[in-house]
Amino acid sequence: MRILVAGGAGYIGSVLTPLLQEHGYQVDVVDLLWFGNHLPDSIPIQKRDLFTLDAPDFEKYNQVIFLAGLSNDPMAEYDPAMNFVQNGALPPYLAFRARQAGVQRFIYASSCSIYGYTENELYNEDAPLSCAYPYGISKLVGERGVLQQQESGFSTIALRQGTVNGHSPRMRFDLIVNTMYKAAMTEGRIIVNNPAIWRPLVDVRDTAGAFLRAVQADNDVSGVFNIAYDNFTVGQVADLVKDAVETHTGKKVLVEVRNQADCRNYKVDCSRARNRLGFQPQYDVRAMVANLYAHHASYGDLTYEKFYNILVFKQLLERQSNASTKAPCAG
Ligand SMILES: NC(=O)c1ccc[n+]([C@@H]2O[C@H](COP(=O)([O-])OP(=O)(O)OC[C@H]3O[C@@H](n4cnc5c(N)ncnc54)[C@H](O)[C@@H]3O)[C@@H](O)[C@H]2O)c1
Protein backbone atom coordinates (compact mmCIF):
# COMPACT_ATOMS: atom_id res chain seq x y z
CA MET A 1 0.00 0.00 0.00
CA ARG A 2 1.28 3.47 -0.87
CA ILE A 3 0.58 6.46 1.38
CA LEU A 4 1.12 10.16 0.79
CA VAL A 5 1.85 12.05 4.02
CA ALA A 6 1.05 15.74 3.50
CA GLY A 7 3.09 17.81 5.96
CA GLY A 8 4.99 14.66 6.94
CA ALA A 9 8.27 16.43 7.80
CA GLY A 10 6.88 18.03 10.96
CA TYR A 11 6.91 16.95 14.60
CA ILE A 12 4.36 14.13 14.27
CA GLY A 13 5.32 13.13 10.72
CA SER A 14 8.96 12.61 11.72
CA VAL A 15 7.81 9.85 14.09
CA LEU A 16 4.90 8.53 12.03
CA THR A 17 6.55 8.09 8.62
CA PRO A 18 9.34 5.74 9.83
CA LEU A 19 6.69 3.76 11.75
CA LEU A 20 4.62 3.34 8.57
CA GLN A 21 7.72 2.20 6.69
CA GLU A 22 8.54 -0.32 9.43
CA HIS A 23 5.07 -1.77 8.89
CA GLY A 24 5.71 -2.29 5.19
CA TYR A 25 3.90 0.74 3.75
CA GLN A 26 5.43 2.73 0.91
CA VAL A 27 5.51 6.34 2.11
CA ASP A 28 6.05 9.64 0.28
CA VAL A 29 6.12 13.06 1.92
CA VAL A 30 5.19 16.44 0.45
CA ASP A 31 6.17 19.30 2.74
CA LEU A 32 7.39 22.89 2.54
CA LEU A 33 10.05 22.07 5.18
CA TRP A 34 9.29 25.12 7.34
CA PHE A 35 11.17 23.38 10.15
CA GLY A 36 13.78 21.59 8.04
CA ASN A 37 13.96 17.92 7.15
CA HIS A 38 14.67 15.39 9.90
CA LEU A 39 13.30 12.35 8.09
CA PRO A 40 15.43 9.27 7.43
CA ASP A 41 16.95 9.11 3.92
CA SER A 42 14.70 6.14 3.17
CA ILE A 43 11.64 8.44 2.96
CA PRO A 44 11.21 10.23 -0.40
CA ILE A 45 10.33 13.88 0.12
CA GLN A 46 9.19 16.61 -2.25
CA LYS A 47 9.58 20.20 -1.09
CA ARG A 48 6.37 21.62 -2.47
CA ASP A 49 3.30 23.62 -1.45
CA LEU A 50 0.40 21.19 -1.06
CA PHE A 51 -1.94 23.69 -2.71
CA THR A 52 -0.12 22.98 -6.00
CA LEU A 53 -1.11 19.28 -5.98
CA ASP A 54 -3.68 18.23 -8.55
CA ALA A 55 -5.67 14.99 -8.96
CA PRO A 56 -2.96 13.22 -11.04
CA ASP A 57 -0.50 13.73 -8.15
CA PHE A 58 -2.68 11.40 -6.05
CA GLU A 59 -3.23 8.62 -8.58
CA LYS A 60 -0.56 6.26 -7.25
CA TYR A 61 -1.75 6.47 -3.63
CA ASN A 62 -4.17 4.25 -1.69
CA GLN A 63 -4.35 6.59 1.30
CA VAL A 64 -3.47 10.18 2.24
CA ILE A 65 -2.60 11.41 5.72
CA PHE A 66 -2.89 15.17 6.34
CA LEU A 67 -0.47 16.62 8.94
CA ALA A 68 0.11 20.08 7.46
CA GLY A 69 -1.15 23.58 8.20
CA LEU A 70 -0.49 25.91 11.14
CA SER A 71 -0.19 23.70 14.18
CA ASN A 72 -0.80 25.88 17.22
CA ASP A 73 -2.61 28.90 18.64
CA PRO A 74 0.27 31.42 18.49
CA MET A 75 0.79 30.77 14.74
CA ALA A 76 -2.95 31.01 14.10
CA GLU A 77 -3.20 34.26 16.03
CA TYR A 78 -0.12 35.74 14.34
CA ASP A 79 -1.64 35.33 10.88
CA PRO A 80 -5.35 34.45 11.17
CA ALA A 81 -5.96 34.82 7.42
CA MET A 82 -3.22 32.35 6.52
CA ASN A 83 -4.43 30.09 9.33
CA PHE A 84 -7.94 29.87 7.92
CA VAL A 85 -6.58 29.16 4.43
CA GLN A 86 -4.01 26.52 5.49
CA ASN A 87 -6.13 24.81 8.17
CA GLY A 88 -9.64 25.41 6.87
CA ALA A 89 -9.31 25.23 3.07
CA LEU A 90 -6.27 23.03 2.40
CA PRO A 91 -7.51 19.75 3.96
CA PRO A 92 -10.86 19.72 2.08
CA TYR A 93 -9.07 20.72 -1.14
CA LEU A 94 -6.62 17.80 -0.83
CA ALA A 95 -9.42 15.38 0.11
CA PHE A 96 -11.32 16.56 -2.98
CA ARG A 97 -8.33 15.93 -5.26
CA ALA A 98 -7.59 12.60 -3.57
CA ARG A 99 -11.19 11.45 -4.04
CA GLN A 100 -11.13 12.51 -7.70
CA ALA A 101 -7.99 10.40 -8.17
CA GLY A 102 -9.50 7.25 -6.63
CA VAL A 103 -7.67 7.33 -3.25
CA GLN A 104 -9.53 5.05 -0.81
CA ARG A 105 -8.95 6.84 2.51
CA PHE A 106 -8.09 10.34 3.76
CA ILE A 107 -6.93 10.67 7.38
CA TYR A 108 -7.03 14.15 8.87
CA ALA A 109 -4.96 15.32 11.87
CA SER A 110 -7.66 17.08 13.86
CA SER A 111 -7.34 18.49 17.35
CA CYS A 112 -9.19 18.31 20.67
CA SER A 113 -8.76 22.09 20.80
CA ILE A 114 -11.99 22.29 18.80
CA TYR A 115 -13.88 21.42 22.02
CA GLY A 116 -13.06 24.88 23.40
CA TYR A 117 -14.06 25.67 26.97
CA THR A 118 -16.16 22.92 28.54
CA GLU A 119 -17.54 22.74 32.05
CA ASN A 120 -15.36 19.88 33.28
CA GLU A 121 -17.43 17.23 31.53
CA LEU A 122 -15.97 14.24 29.72
CA TYR A 123 -16.61 14.86 26.03
CA ASN A 124 -17.04 12.18 23.42
CA GLU A 125 -17.00 12.84 19.68
CA ASP A 126 -20.72 13.72 19.59
CA ALA A 127 -20.44 16.49 22.20
CA PRO A 128 -21.15 20.11 21.21
CA LEU A 129 -18.17 22.18 20.11
CA SER A 130 -17.59 25.65 21.49
CA CYS A 131 -14.21 26.88 20.27
CA ALA A 132 -14.11 30.58 19.44
CA TYR A 133 -10.44 31.17 18.63
CA PRO A 134 -8.75 31.02 15.19
CA TYR A 135 -6.83 27.73 15.58
CA GLY A 136 -9.79 25.75 16.97
CA ILE A 137 -12.29 27.16 14.46
CA SER A 138 -9.97 26.48 11.52
CA LYS A 139 -9.27 22.88 12.62
CA LEU A 140 -13.03 22.32 12.88
CA VAL A 141 -13.63 23.82 9.42
CA GLY A 142 -10.90 21.56 8.00
CA GLU A 143 -12.36 18.51 9.73
CA ARG A 144 -15.90 19.15 8.49
CA GLY A 145 -14.72 19.83 4.94
CA VAL A 146 -12.89 16.51 4.86
CA LEU A 147 -15.53 14.37 6.58
CA GLN A 148 -18.41 15.50 4.45
CA GLN A 149 -16.68 14.06 1.35
CA GLN A 150 -16.98 10.50 2.69
CA GLU A 151 -18.76 8.19 0.27
CA SER A 152 -18.73 4.56 -0.77
CA GLY A 153 -15.09 3.75 -1.66
CA PHE A 154 -13.74 6.91 0.00
CA SER A 155 -13.29 6.68 3.77
CA THR A 156 -12.58 9.82 5.78
CA ILE A 157 -11.17 9.67 9.30
CA ALA A 158 -10.43 12.58 11.64
CA LEU A 159 -8.17 11.93 14.62
CA ARG A 160 -8.86 14.61 17.23
CA GLN A 161 -5.54 14.51 19.03
CA GLY A 162 -4.99 15.84 22.51
CA THR A 163 -1.80 17.83 22.98
CA VAL A 164 1.01 15.69 21.59
CA ASN A 165 4.25 15.52 23.59
CA GLY A 166 7.57 13.74 23.88
CA HIS A 167 10.58 13.31 21.67
CA SER A 168 10.57 13.61 17.88
CA PRO A 169 13.56 14.00 15.55
CA ARG A 170 11.84 17.30 14.55
CA MET A 171 11.67 18.60 18.09
CA ARG A 172 9.20 21.09 19.56
CA PHE A 173 9.48 22.58 23.06
CA ASP A 174 6.22 24.55 22.71
CA LEU A 175 3.95 21.67 23.80
CA ILE A 176 2.84 21.42 27.44
CA VAL A 177 4.96 18.51 28.75
CA ASN A 178 7.95 19.49 26.59
CA THR A 179 7.72 23.13 27.73
CA MET A 180 7.58 22.11 31.39
CA TYR A 181 10.50 19.71 30.83
CA LYS A 182 12.53 22.53 29.27
CA ALA A 183 11.70 24.88 32.16
CA ALA A 184 12.55 22.25 34.78
CA MET A 185 15.85 21.39 33.09
CA THR A 186 17.00 24.93 32.29
CA GLU A 187 15.58 26.97 35.20
CA GLY A 188 14.74 24.38 37.86
CA ARG A 189 11.24 25.88 37.95
CA ILE A 190 7.88 25.16 36.27
CA ILE A 191 5.36 28.00 36.04
CA VAL A 192 1.70 26.95 36.01
CA ASN A 193 -0.68 29.63 34.81
CA ASN A 194 -3.87 27.82 35.76
CA PRO A 195 -3.56 24.51 37.65
CA ALA A 196 -7.26 23.61 37.43
CA ILE A 197 -7.84 23.43 33.69
CA TRP A 198 -7.94 20.06 31.94
CA ARG A 199 -6.01 18.85 28.91
CA PRO A 200 -5.95 15.47 27.17
CA LEU A 201 -2.33 14.45 26.50
CA VAL A 202 -0.75 11.88 24.21
CA ASP A 203 2.83 10.82 23.51
CA VAL A 204 3.92 11.37 19.89
CA ARG A 205 4.71 7.63 19.65
CA ASP A 206 1.12 6.82 20.65
CA THR A 207 -0.40 9.35 18.27
CA ALA A 208 1.72 7.84 15.47
CA GLY A 209 0.27 4.47 16.56
CA ALA A 210 -3.25 5.92 16.23
CA PHE A 211 -2.56 6.97 12.61
CA LEU A 212 -1.21 3.48 11.92
CA ARG A 213 -4.43 1.95 13.29
CA ALA A 214 -6.48 4.35 11.15
CA VAL A 215 -4.53 3.25 8.05
CA GLN A 216 -5.21 -0.40 8.93
CA ALA A 217 -8.90 -0.01 9.85
CA ASP A 218 -11.58 -1.82 7.83
CA ASN A 219 -12.65 -0.05 4.66
CA ASP A 220 -16.04 0.83 6.11
CA VAL A 221 -14.53 2.77 9.05
CA SER A 222 -14.95 6.55 8.79
CA GLY A 223 -15.62 9.34 11.27
CA VAL A 224 -14.14 11.22 14.21
CA PHE A 225 -11.98 9.68 16.96
CA ASN A 226 -10.58 11.30 20.10
CA ILE A 227 -6.93 10.38 20.66
CA ALA A 228 -5.27 10.76 24.07
CA TYR A 229 -3.52 8.72 26.76
CA ASP A 230 -5.61 10.38 29.46
CA ASN A 231 -6.88 13.73 30.75
CA PHE A 232 -4.82 15.70 33.26
CA THR A 233 -5.13 19.04 35.01
CA VAL A 234 -2.25 21.37 34.22
CA GLY A 235 -1.36 21.25 37.92
CA GLN A 236 -1.09 17.45 37.72
CA VAL A 237 1.10 17.64 34.63
CA ALA A 238 3.48 20.02 36.41
CA ASP A 239 3.77 17.69 39.39
CA LEU A 240 4.38 14.65 37.17
CA VAL A 241 7.06 16.46 35.13
CA LYS A 242 8.66 17.80 38.33
CA ASP A 243 8.85 14.31 39.88
CA ALA A 244 10.21 12.73 36.71
CA VAL A 245 12.88 15.40 36.18
CA GLU A 246 13.92 15.23 39.85
CA THR A 247 14.25 11.45 39.55
CA HIS A 248 16.42 11.72 36.43
CA THR A 249 18.63 14.62 37.51
CA GLY A 250 18.62 14.37 41.32
CA LYS A 251 17.99 18.15 41.42
CA LYS A 252 15.01 19.91 43.02
CA VAL A 253 12.40 21.54 40.75
CA LEU A 254 10.00 24.23 41.99
CA VAL A 255 6.40 24.55 40.79
CA GLU A 256 5.16 28.14 40.81
CA VAL A 257 1.38 28.53 40.52
CA ARG A 258 -0.27 31.64 39.07
CA ASN A 259 -3.99 31.95 38.57
CA GLN A 260 -4.66 33.13 35.03
CA ALA A 261 -7.75 32.42 32.94
CA ASP A 262 -7.56 30.13 29.91
CA CYS A 263 -9.98 29.84 27.01
CA ARG A 264 -9.38 26.09 26.64
CA ASN A 265 -10.46 23.46 29.13
CA TYR A 266 -11.53 20.00 28.02
CA LYS A 267 -11.53 16.33 28.94
CA VAL A 268 -12.18 13.75 26.27
CA ASP A 269 -13.39 10.17 26.15
CA CYS A 270 -11.27 7.95 23.84
CA SER A 271 -13.34 4.77 24.02
CA ARG A 272 -14.45 5.01 20.38
CA ALA A 273 -10.82 4.93 19.17
CA ARG A 274 -10.11 1.99 21.49
CA ASN A 275 -13.17 0.04 20.37
CA ARG A 276 -13.21 0.79 16.64
CA LEU A 277 -9.53 1.37 15.78
CA GLY A 278 -7.83 -0.77 18.44
CA PHE A 279 -5.97 2.32 19.70
CA GLN A 280 -4.07 1.42 22.88
CA PRO A 281 -1.80 4.19 24.15
CA GLN A 282 1.21 3.05 26.17
CA TYR A 283 3.10 6.14 27.27
CA ASP A 284 2.15 8.21 30.34
CA VAL A 285 3.72 11.56 31.32
CA ARG A 286 6.57 9.83 33.15
CA ALA A 287 7.40 7.87 29.97
CA MET A 288 7.23 11.06 27.86
CA VAL A 289 9.75 12.73 30.18
CA ALA A 290 11.97 9.62 30.25
CA ASN A 291 12.19 9.69 26.44
CA LEU A 292 12.95 13.43 26.42
CA TYR A 293 15.69 12.86 28.97
CA ALA A 294 17.11 9.94 26.95
CA HIS A 295 17.52 12.32 23.97
CA HIS A 296 18.61 15.34 26.00
CA ALA A 297 22.17 15.44 24.72
CA SER A 298 20.94 15.66 21.11
CA TYR A 299 18.99 18.93 21.62
CA GLY A 300 21.79 21.35 22.38
CA ASP A 301 20.36 24.61 23.77
CA LEU A 302 16.69 24.00 24.60
CA THR A 303 15.91 27.67 24.03
CA TYR A 304 16.96 27.61 20.33
CA GLU A 305 14.38 29.31 18.11
CA LYS A 306 14.05 26.20 15.92
CA PHE A 307 12.18 24.42 18.74
CA TYR A 308 9.37 27.02 18.81
CA ASN A 309 6.94 27.05 15.88
CA ILE A 310 5.91 30.67 16.35
CA LEU A 311 9.50 31.97 16.25
CA VAL A 312 10.35 30.03 13.06
CA PHE A 313 7.04 31.04 11.50
CA LYS A 314 7.49 34.78 12.20
CA GLN A 315 10.92 34.69 10.58
CA LEU A 316 9.54 32.82 7.59
CA LEU A 317 6.76 35.36 7.03
CA GLU A 318 9.13 38.29 7.54
CA ARG A 319 11.53 36.87 4.92
CA GLN A 320 8.63 36.40 2.50
CA SER A 321 7.35 39.92 3.10
CA ASN A 322 10.86 41.43 2.63
CA ALA A 323 11.29 39.45 -0.59
CA SER A 324 7.96 40.69 -1.97
CA THR A 325 8.60 44.36 -1.07
CA LYS A 326 12.09 44.19 -2.63
CA ALA A 327 10.94 42.58 -5.87
CA PRO A 328 9.62 45.72 -7.67
CA CYS A 329 12.85 47.68 -6.94
CA ALA A 330 14.92 44.83 -8.28
CA GLY A 331 12.96 45.09 -11.56
N1 LIG B 1 1.36 18.73 17.90
C1 LIG B 1 0.20 18.71 18.52
O1 LIG B 1 0.11 18.76 19.76
C2 LIG B 1 -1.08 18.57 17.73
C3 LIG B 1 -2.28 18.33 18.42
C4 LIG B 1 -3.47 18.23 17.71
C5 LIG B 1 -3.44 18.34 16.33
N2 LIG B 1 -2.26 18.57 15.68
C6 LIG B 1 -2.29 18.68 14.20
O2 LIG B 1 -1.43 17.68 13.68
C7 LIG B 1 -0.77 18.17 12.51
C8 LIG B 1 0.74 17.97 12.64
O3 LIG B 1 1.21 18.64 13.81
P1 LIG B 1 2.78 18.82 14.06
O4 LIG B 1 2.95 19.14 15.49
O5 LIG B 1 3.51 17.70 13.43
O6 LIG B 1 3.02 20.16 13.21
P2 LIG B 1 4.37 20.80 12.63
O7 LIG B 1 4.16 22.27 12.66
O8 LIG B 1 5.56 20.23 13.28
O9 LIG B 1 4.38 20.28 11.10
C9 LIG B 1 3.56 20.80 10.10
C10 LIG B 1 4.29 20.54 8.78
O10 LIG B 1 3.43 20.92 7.70
C11 LIG B 1 4.21 21.58 6.71
N3 LIG B 1 3.29 22.44 5.95
C12 LIG B 1 2.39 23.34 6.44
N4 LIG B 1 1.69 23.89 5.43
C13 LIG B 1 2.13 23.32 4.27
C14 LIG B 1 1.77 23.45 2.90
N5 LIG B 1 0.82 24.32 2.49
N6 LIG B 1 2.42 22.70 1.98
C15 LIG B 1 3.39 21.82 2.36
N7 LIG B 1 3.77 21.65 3.66
C16 LIG B 1 3.13 22.39 4.60
C17 LIG B 1 5.28 22.33 7.48
O11 LIG B 1 6.42 22.59 6.68
C18 LIG B 1 5.59 21.35 8.63
O12 LIG B 1 6.65 20.49 8.31
C19 LIG B 1 -1.21 19.62 12.34
O13 LIG B 1 -2.26 19.66 11.39
C20 LIG B 1 -1.74 20.00 13.71
O14 LIG B 1 -2.75 21.00 13.62
C21 LIG B 1 -1.09 18.68 16.35
Side-chain angles (χ1 to χ4, degrees):
M1 186 194 289
R2 192 159 181 178
I3 303 173
L4 174 67
V5 186
Y11 173 71
I12 296 170
S14 297
V15 175
L16 171 61
T17 51
L19 180 73
L20 292 171
Q21 263 194 345
E22 268 171 44
H23 283 76
Y25 299 104
Q26 202 178 339
V27 179
D28 296 295
V29 167
V30 174
D31 195 298
L32 275 171
L33 303 184
W34 287 345
F35 310 103
N37 177 13
H38 307 272
L39 297 174
D41 292 342
S42 58
I43 295 176
I45 177 151
Q46 263 191 74
K47 184 177 177 184
R48 181 171 173 188
D49 187 343
L50 289 158
F51 270 113
T52 67
L53 296 185
D54 211 333
D57 295 304
F58 291 93
E59 275 167 5
K60 53 182 183 263
Y61 297 107
N62 305 93
Q63 299 199 13
V64 173
I65 297 177
F66 179 90
L67 297 176
L70 275 55
S71 51
N72 67 8
D73 288 299
M75 294 166 88
E77 271 147 34
Y78 186 70
D79 193 336
M82 184 177 179
N83 168 68
F84 279 101
V85 173
Q86 295 283 344
N87 287 0
L90 181 59
Y93 170 69
L94 295 181
F96 169 69
R97 289 302 191 204
R99 188 166 53 98
Q100 273 187 323
V103 168
Q104 289 119 43
R105 170 165 287 154
F106 192 97
I107 304 170
Y108 170 68
S110 191
S111 167
C112 288
S113 64
I114 68 180
Y115 288 111
Y117 198 94
T118 69
E119 290 300 327
N120 292 328
E121 285 175 50
L122 193 61
Y123 271 24
N124 70 18
E125 294 83 349
D126 302 323
L129 304 164
S130 65
C131 58
Y133 37 85
Y135 179 68
I137 300 166
S138 69
K139 291 302 288 183
L140 178 57
V141 171
E143 181 187 290
R144 288 193 169 146
V146 168
L147 289 182
Q148 70 98 33
Q149 297 186 56
Q150 187 257 324
E151 62 182 14
S152 168
F154 187 64
S155 144
T156 53
I157 292 180
L159 300 182
R160 284 186 189 159
Q161 305 161 94
T163 305
V164 186
N165 299 277
H167 171 76
S168 163
R170 191 314 244 188
M171 196 50 200
R172 292 180 60 177
F173 281 108
D174 55 3
L175 300 156
I176 177 168
V177 171
N178 297 8
T179 304
M180 288 184 179
Y181 172 82
K182 181 212 92 176
M185 293 296 288
T186 58
E187 295 159 34
R189 187 174 63 135
I190 299 171
I191 295 174
V192 178
N193 286 331
N194 186 333
I197 53 170
W198 288 90
R199 286 282 188 283
L201 304 182
V202 60
D203 188 287
V204 64
R205 293 166 289 182
D206 279 331
T207 213
F211 280 95
L212 174 68
R213 293 288 166 253
V215 164
Q216 295 172 335
D218 280 346
N219 292 342
D220 65 350
V221 173
S222 280
V224 182
F225 298 90
N226 290 335
I227 299 296
Y229 176 86
D230 205 348
N231 301 289
F232 301 85
T233 69
V234 174
Q236 275 179 319
V237 183
D239 289 343
L240 289 165
V241 174
K242 166 190 156 70
D243 286 351
V245 169
E246 285 180 346
T247 306
H248 289 297
T249 64
K251 293 185 190 152
K252 289 302 279 177
V253 174
L254 292 176
V255 174
E256 190 180 313
V257 175
R258 298 174 184 172
N259 283 304
Q260 288 174 14
D262 199 300
C263 61
R264 291 206 270 155
N265 182 21
Y266 40 83
K267 288 197 275 191
V268 300
D269 171 5
C270 297
S271 51
R272 186 184 291 176
R274 266 199 309 278
N275 297 336
R276 294 218 63 201
L277 299 179
F279 169 62
Q280 273 191 318
Q282 297 174 47
Y283 302 104
D284 60 9
V285 172
R286 189 167 285 279
M288 294 174 200
V289 173
N291 204 29
L292 291 172
Y293 191 71
H295 289 88
H296 193 79
S298 68
Y299 301 135
D301 185 343
L302 272 57
T303 63
Y304 280 154
E305 290 185 350
K306 65 178 180 180
F307 296 132
Y308 302 88
N309 276 19
I310 184 60
L311 300 180
V312 177
F313 188 61
K314 275 184 183 171
Q315 284 181 355
L316 193 85
L317 294 193
E318 274 163 25
R319 276 202 302 277
Q320 279 173 1
S321 140
N322 288 342
S324 66
T325 49
K326 275 186 195 140
C329 308

